[in-house]
Amino acid sequence: MTRAEDGCRLWTAETGGGAPLILCHGGPGLWDMFGSLAGSLAGDVRVVRWDQRGCGRSERRGPYSVARSVADLDAVRGALGVDRVAVLGHSWGATLALRYALDHPDRLSALIYVSGTGLGWAWQEPFQRAIAKRLAPSAARRSELRGRDRSEAEDRELAVLQWSAEFTGADAVRHAEEMATPWFGVNWECHREIWGELQRTWREADLFTACQALSVPVLIIDGAADLRPRWAVDSLEQALPRVTRVIFPDAGHVPWLEVPAEFTSVLQHFLRAAAWLSGSMAPSHQVFRIGFRPLARDHASQQMVPACPRPRWPGSTDGTSVSSGRQRWNIGAAAGLAGVGLRGGWGRLGSPGPRLAPGRGARRRTWRRHDAPRSRACGTPAP
């Protein structure tokens, strides 16, 4: 247990050794669900998991606010006896981690922003439409459960039905069951208080300016199948001066459960690179994407749609690639990310510059930027 500055008991657990990485779970009102990820990272880093105030195994009391959550996260860092840590946040946890980075940039060595919703709120309407469609088959059972007082088992059943919409494929319910095991119950008071505060105070224009001054290296990880449209994160990517962005084409909102080997490989590579790049020779801006096809914003419908298909490169069986501005490297998709991480190379945005960590067999090609205008024949409207 860790004590917050007001004495609230916060559940914490550590695995592995090395430089510390604090994991911030989603919600608000949920609990740590990073057990499998912590196990896969334990050989490389000191993984620190925690349940946020009032959630899971932590003491169930407020007050609940964004500022209080930031202070609690800093208490977890302080209890480690280190000045700077890497922080990974998922969903609401990504918002919390970003707020912590903006408030305490000197206490952060790296930020990993997983499945966040960016700086604005335009994503909400398309998300609500998408999740309603995904949940349609279970609508009758969910309506029945919501219409009466529920037992703890029925609360869990309702959550599993809801969370299964976050995944695609035959394993959706299994992944949702894993998220709900163990079950601690949702803290709805925490959820309402923090979510309401965010809706009143989280403003894109102010945040964009603040993010432009953030000097720590940031990794943005998305699943292309996330029901929250991924263009919501574009302005955050554009604002950050030192950013890496990775998109997994076959993952949704919880990518470490759907593509665990690939997720772990990318994360390990970034953490090593972030430590190496902490000196004065660090490039000022880095952007990479992984996927069969990039996703483009359809400005008419505000949906993510596949952009024009890209040609497959020699040595790639599925077209998987990494890009940095106009630079693109094939990363050997046949071998899989678990074996090669981002070995295709690192480079400066918009510059052929020095390749700082090249992989064997990498092929460099030039390609236009993801946001370049495209013809209507490709299926996405040109501005």
Side-chain angles (χ1 to χ4, degrees), residues 21 41 45 86 110 112 219 266-276:
L21 169 67
L41 292 172
V45 294
I112 300 94
L219 171 63
V266 167
L267 182 54
Q268 289 170 328
H269 186 96
F270 172 78
L271 289 172
R272 295 185 191 117
W276 181 77

Side-chain angles (χ1 to χ4, degrees), residues 115-133:
S115 303
T117 52
L119 307 181
W121 293 97
W123 60 272
Q124 284 191 296
E125 183 179 344
F127 166 67
Q128 293 298 333
R129 290 197 304 267
I131 198 167
K133 182 178 180 180

Side-chain angles (χ1 to χ4, degrees), residues 122-123 126 229-235 245 296-298 302-304:
W123 60 272
R230 293 298 82 205
W231 48 255
V233 186
D234 289 352
S235 64
R245 188 171 187 181
R297 182 172 180 173
D298 181 336
Q302 294 198 334
Q303 294 288 323
M304 291 297 281

Side-chain angles (χ1 to χ4, degrees), residues 13 18 21 40 79 87 91 137 144 208 259 282 284 307 320 325 346:
L21 169 67
S40 65
V87 176
S91 195
E144 176 188 351
F208 188 91
V259 287
S284 60
T320 302
W346 296 75

Side-chain angles (χ1 to χ4, degrees), residues 278-301:
S278 61
S280 60
M281 294 300 294
S284 60
H285 195 97
Q286 307 170 107
V287 179
F288 299 86
R289 287 181 177 84
I290 295 176
F292 301 141
R293 290 177 294 176
L295 296 177
R297 182 172 180 173
D298 181 336
H299 292 275
S301 63

Side-chain angles (χ1 to χ4, degrees), residues 157-173:
E157 178 189 355
L158 183 59
V160 168
L161 289 172
Q162 183 81 19
W163 293 346
S164 65
E166 303 290 0
F167 305 94
T168 59
D171 291 328
V173 174

Side-chain angles (χ1 to χ4, degrees), residues 10 15 34 120 128 131 191 350 359:
L10 304 174
T15 309
F34 289 115
Q128 293 298 333
I131 198 167
H191 180 86

Side-chain angles (χ1 to χ4, degrees), residues 38-73:
S40 65
L41 292 172
D44 296 281
V45 294
R46 179 185 178 188
V47 183
V48 182
R49 302 158 57 198
W50 68 299
D51 285 344
Q52 294 160 31
R53 173 182 297 254
C55 302
R57 292 145 286 200
S58 290
E59 185 177 358
R60 207 172 184 91
R61 70 175 175 93
Y64 303 116
S65 68
V66 176
R68 184 74 265 169
S69 299
V70 168
D72 289 348
L73 173 53

